[in-house]
Structure formats: C-alpha cells, structure tokens
Amino acid sequence: MDAGFSEQTRPAAGDPITEEEALRRLRLTDDPSAQYYAAWWLGRNRSTHPEAVPLLQEALRQRRPRDPGAGVEENAVARNAARALGKLAPAAVQAIDDLLATLEDEDHGLREAAARALGELRAEAAVEPLLRRLAGGPSVAGAQQPGTPRLMEPCEALLEALGDIGVSTAEVVAVIEPFVQHERPLIRSAASRSLLQLTGEEHWGLQLVELLQHQQLQVRHAALMDLGGAGWRPALDPIARTLAENSLKLIALRGLVENNCRAPEPASGLAPDASTTAVLEVMDALL
Amino acid sequence: MPAVLELVEAVRRADTALGLLQATQALAAASHPEGAACLVEILGFNNPGAAVAAVDGLIAIGEPAVDTILSNIDGYNYGARAWAVRALAGIGDVRGLPVLEDALGKDIGPSVRRAAARGLGQLRLAELPEDERRATGHRCLQALLAGCRDGEWVVRYAVVVGLESLAQALDAEMAAGQRQQLIEALGALHADPEEEAPVVQLRAALALQRLGVPHG
C-alpha cells in the first residue's frame, strides 16, 4: 500500500496557484505553512521548472532533530518535499543523496517519506540502507514502539521501496520474506507486493488476492493498492469483485494497466493489446 | 402485506453489513417500482456492496425509478450522489440530462463527475423525436468536451468512455462538424503530452480504434 489516497486530499489553504507562486512560497523559510503547501503543489503538478528540485532539496535540509516540546513544522515541510521529489522522477535523481541522508533521520515520518521517494526514483543506492533498517526482521524492525501504534521502522514504506527499486537479489528477497508472516495484515500486504514485483512468483500475488477478502476494509484497500502497484494482471477479476469503493478499484486497475512489468505499454502509439483491453473494459463498468 | 413491502421491511430490519447486502439483493431482484424509494435510501448507507446491488435494482426498475432518484439527490453526501448518478446513467432516461450536466461540470466529488461523464454517453437517444435527439446529443457533447479538461484522471477517463458511446449512439445523426469535434477531442486526449495518466491515453486510443479512426 502507499500513501496515495491520503495524499489525494489537498492540504488546507488550497487556492489555485501558479508554478511561479509555488516556487516563491517555497523560498519563504520563515513561513513553514506556505512552504508546506508549495512543496505539495510542485509534486502534485509534476513541476518541471529547473528550480523546483533544488528548492525541494533545500526544504529537505530544513528538517530538525525531533524536539517533542517544540513545533515540528520544518519537518512537515521536509516530509512534503520528500514526497514531491518522489513524484518528480527522473528529474529528482540529483536529490538522491539528500533523501538517503533523510532516510537516517530520527523522525519516523521523515524516514517513511524518504523511503517512498527513493522507491519512486528507483534509487539503487538505497537498497543497502533499506535492507539494514529491515534486517532485524518482524520482531525488531517490525516490533511495535512502546506507547505508540507505530512500528520501530516504517516497514510498509521500506518494503515497498525495495519492490519499486527492483533489485532482485537473493539477499533482498531473504530480508523481505519474514515480513510475510508479520502480525499486521498491512505489513504482510506490503511484503507480498514487494516479493511479487521482485520475483514475479504467482504465490505472492495469491497472498494479496486472499487479503482482498479480509474483513477489515482498510486491509482490502491496501491489497487493492498493492496489486495495482505490482501490476499483476491475474488479479483482474478478484479486484472487480472486492467489496470496496469503485474509486479504489479503478486506481488498482489503472495500476494493472500501467505497472505491468512484463509488457510495458507505450504511453502513446498503437491501440492497447487484448489483455490491456480486458482491464479497460472492467474499468469502464466501474465508472 | 405485498411481497415488495416485506422485502423493504427486511432491509429496515437488517443490522449487519452482510444482512443489509442480502436484503438489498433480494429487494433489487424484485425490480418493483415500489422498492425504488428504499433502494435510493440504501445509496446513502456507506455500504458499497449494498449500493452496487441497489443501483442494479434501480436500473432494473428503469424509467419508473427516475422521478424517485431525481427528487432524492443528496446534496451533502457525494458517495450517495455518485451512486444516484450511476443509476441515472444506467437507466439512460433523458430526464436525467440536467443532473448529469450539472454533476460533470460542477460536482466536487470526482466519483460523481466520473459517473456523470459515463452517463452522458449512454442516454437513450434513439427513442426521441429527431429534433429533440439532435438537441440532446448536442448538449451531451458540449458537456463532455468541457469535461476533457477535468483535473482528475478518472474523470478524463470517463469522458473518453462517454465520448465513445455518444459517437456510437448518434453516429449517422451527428452532423459532420460535431463528429469531427468529438474525434478531435479524443485525439487530443490520446496525444496530450501533459497527460499524467497513460491509462487515459490508452483508453482514448481504444476509442479511436473502435470508431474506425486511424491514429498514433
């Protein structure tokens, strides 16, 4: 699963603004709430302005050590900057070093955002630090932090980043595999998705299809997003039958069309092949 | 008590999500006009499974359900509105046109706009007298052309689907200029370099192929 649907909600203060205005606001280092919206805007609108990536890198460096007594607005800006950089691939590859540094931050939320962005940027340099953070397995990295609902590491994001980056060595697979047994179904879903992306093995896809039947809606949502993220076409009918909102099924099916790793479709050009057409027809019926 | 009222009563008594789903399916299967008000109410229960069944039931009832749907559009719940618009789209009655136009142009819920875009392509125009058919088709086309600029990919996707079915519904009727406009809109969606969603471009390519227009 990824943060996709929580991010579809625009932050408040969402007047329509221009790219120039977003860049201006991102420079306002004494006004974190203006920067927060500006960083989000640049990612959402996939800015290609040459100043966007350097300014987002600056915003990422504004992060601070977590001080429970003080505001952490700079970290909120940094989090949005990391998310935006993930969306600006491939232009944002120059920010990979900054994101790798952010992956070492004490702030759990920042590590999560950095991991997702590194995944979107397919940053192979991130594989080693991601593996290091997950190395303890479900009982260490995946243990619950005392006094919070969080796990010690943002495991979902770390696992999914490894799947997105796509380095499929025995070592990577061995680190991810124990998380398929994690007590939380959302972590199981993320791990299965990653393994499906890395190995293409059917049984990981079937694990996700099984989660589409989970009694909790939130888990069904995660499995939908993960099947879409992996682009696993055999899930077409199970996705269509899942008890969930059509909006989420449509996002998952878009993923089946666009993330099909074995047969990438050209963005434009000829009409879709038979397998893609079958997915589109199911989408049509869900509108 | 007539059978349909017993089915309505079973919906009212349902106290679990699964119970509601089963009671709704039974009521929908009756496809009786007196079940329409209850089916419309179910659209607002935030139970997607039951809502799907209720929409199917309303579509099965068809024209006799249209007034009930139109007079109960929920201004505050866009989930419910999306389902109501889907039901109108499925029935295809032209009395739904103003609601569909308004929904695609103005509704804040992308799920409502996407259902409206699909519906604008599937009104049952063939039953109308010729002049009314032309005028209605023209309004559908204008609404869909404006929808090409929607900010949400899923709405643009639905606009493509709407344009494809509108072209098929009007075909020979459609003035050459209008058909040209429609084809150009699909071509623009297919080739737009700013399009963030390849799936929209692919769907437009499929629509052009089905309409027999060379592209790419």
Side-chain angles (χ1 to χ4, degrees), chain A residues 39-250:
Chain A
W40 173 85
W41 191 98
L42 291 170
R44 173 70 173 81
N45 292 286
R46 316 230 182 249
S47 170
T48 53
H49 194 284
E51 284 189 64
V53 170
L55 281 170
L56 289 167
Q57 285 175 275
E58 280 301 317
L60 206 49
R61 292 183 202 128
Q62 265 176 254
R63 67 185 190 275
R64 297 186 169 182
R66 235 189 197 302
D67 170 3
V72 286
E73 284 191 299
E74 283 83 357
N75 280 10
V77 174
R79 216 161 45 231
N80 266 8
R83 290 176 183 148
L85 286 165
K87 301 204 181 327
L88 299 187
V93 288
Q94 69 181 76
I96 285 176
D97 283 344
D98 290 296
L99 289 165
L100 288 171
T102 309
L103 191 59
E104 305 301 330
D105 200 278
E106 280 177 48
D107 185 326
H108 190 279
L110 263 176
R111 292 203 300 282
E112 177 175 11
R116 291 194 191 287
L118 287 161
E120 288 175 277
L121 294 171
R122 311 271 186 275
E124 295 195 1
V127 170
E128 186 279 321
L130 290 167
L131 290 180
R132 175 162 41 78
R133 295 217 158 253
L134 288 167
S139 62
V140 179
Q144 191 170 332
Q145 269 180 15
T148 83
R150 287 178 160 171
L151 303 180
M152 296 305 288
E153 292 292 339
C155 291
E156 253 182 274
L158 303 177
L159 291 163
E160 290 176 7
L162 286 169
D164 286 338
I165 294 168
V167 173
S168 178
T169 62
E171 188 198 2
V172 176
V173 170
V175 169
I176 299 173
E177 235 183 271
F179 287 90
V180 174
Q181 307 295 333
H182 197 278
E183 58 178 5
R184 294 193 185 180
L186 296 183
I187 304 297
R188 299 204 293 274
S189 189
S192 302
R193 166 207 174 133
S194 246
L195 291 166
L196 178 59
Q197 285 173 300
L198 295 175
T199 67
E201 287 166 12
E202 184 185 32
H203 58 277
W204 304 124
L206 294 174
Q207 296 252 358
L208 288 170
V209 166
E210 202 173 305
L211 288 171
L212 291 177
Q213 309 267 354
H214 198 277
Q215 57 173 359
Q216 285 178 285
L217 182 60
Q218 187 197 11
V219 176
R220 301 199 296 274
H221 284 175
L224 281 171
M225 294 306 106
D226 286 334
L227 284 162
W232 200 56
R233 297 253 173 120
L236 176 58
D237 291 330
I239 288 173
R241 283 196 305 270
T242 302
L243 288 178
E245 301 88 326
N246 287 6
S247 307
L248 290 172
K249 295 190 206 180
L250 285 161

Side-chain angles (χ1 to χ4, degrees), chain B residues 38-192:
Chain B
C38 180
L39 291 171
V40 167
E41 219 180 305
I42 293 165
L43 305 180
F45 288 175
N46 194 24
N47 177 325
V52 167
V55 167
D56 289 345
L58 288 165
I59 294 172
I61 296 168
E63 278 179 32
V66 171
D67 279 334
T68 310
I69 300 171
L70 289 175
S71 53
N72 287 286
I73 296 278
D74 187 335
Y76 296 97
N77 176 343
Y78 62 70
R81 250 180 2 258
W83 292 115
V85 169
R86 286 195 86 207
L88 287 174
I91 295 169
D93 189 293
V94 289
R95 283 174 291 167
L97 175 61
V99 169
L100 298 179
E101 283 175 321
D102 211 50
L104 176 57
K106 298 188 199 141
D107 206 286
I108 56 160
S111 56
V112 183
R113 301 202 300 280
R114 97 180 173 231
R118 176 170 182 243
L120 284 163
Q122 52 188 38
L123 293 182
R124 290 200 316 271
L125 302 173
E127 301 167 358
L128 302 173
E130 191 183 332
D131 51 343
E132 205 182 322
R133 185 165 60 225
R134 286 233 166 114
T136 306
H138 178 73
R139 279 173 66 178
C140 292
L141 177 60
Q142 295 310 312
L144 287 167
L145 292 175
C148 292
R149 295 188 300 273
D150 198 281
E152 292 289 333
W153 74 270
V154 77
V155 180
R156 295 191 299 279
Y157 183 97
V159 164
V160 172
V161 173
L163 286 169
E164 178 189 303
S165 43
L166 182 65
Q168 286 165 340
L170 287 173
D171 209 14
E173 300 294 330
M174 206 183 271
Q178 285 191 354
R179 186 174 166 84
Q180 191 55 32
Q181 263 187 307
L182 189 154
I183 299 292
E184 278 171 16
L186 285 173
L189 285 162
H190 170 56
D192 183 359

Side-chain angles (χ1 to χ4, degrees), chain A residues 8 44 46 243-247 250-251 254 257-258 265-272 276-277 279-281 283-287, chain B residues 21 48-49 52 83 86 111 114-115 118 151-154 157-158 161 190 196-199 201-203 205-206 209-210 215-216:
Chain A
Q8 285 179 344
R44 173 70 173 81
R46 316 230 182 249
L243 288 178
E245 301 88 326
N246 287 6
S247 307
L250 285 161
I251 295 171
R254 175 186 172 187
V257 170
E258 295 181 5
E265 294 285 348
S268 60
L270 302 173
T276 302
T277 301
V279 182
L280 296 175
E281 281 170 352
M283 291 179 70
D284 292 1
L286 292 170
L287 291 172
Chain B
L21 172 62
V52 167
W83 292 115
R86 286 195 86 207
S111 56
R114 97 180 173 231
R118 176 170 182 243
E152 292 289 333
W153 74 270
V154 77
Y157 183 97
V161 173
H190 170 56
E196 50 155 336
V199 71
Q201 297 176 313
L202 279 164
R203 187 64 187 81
L206 181 62
Q209 184 196 43
R210 286 176 174 172
H215 63 275

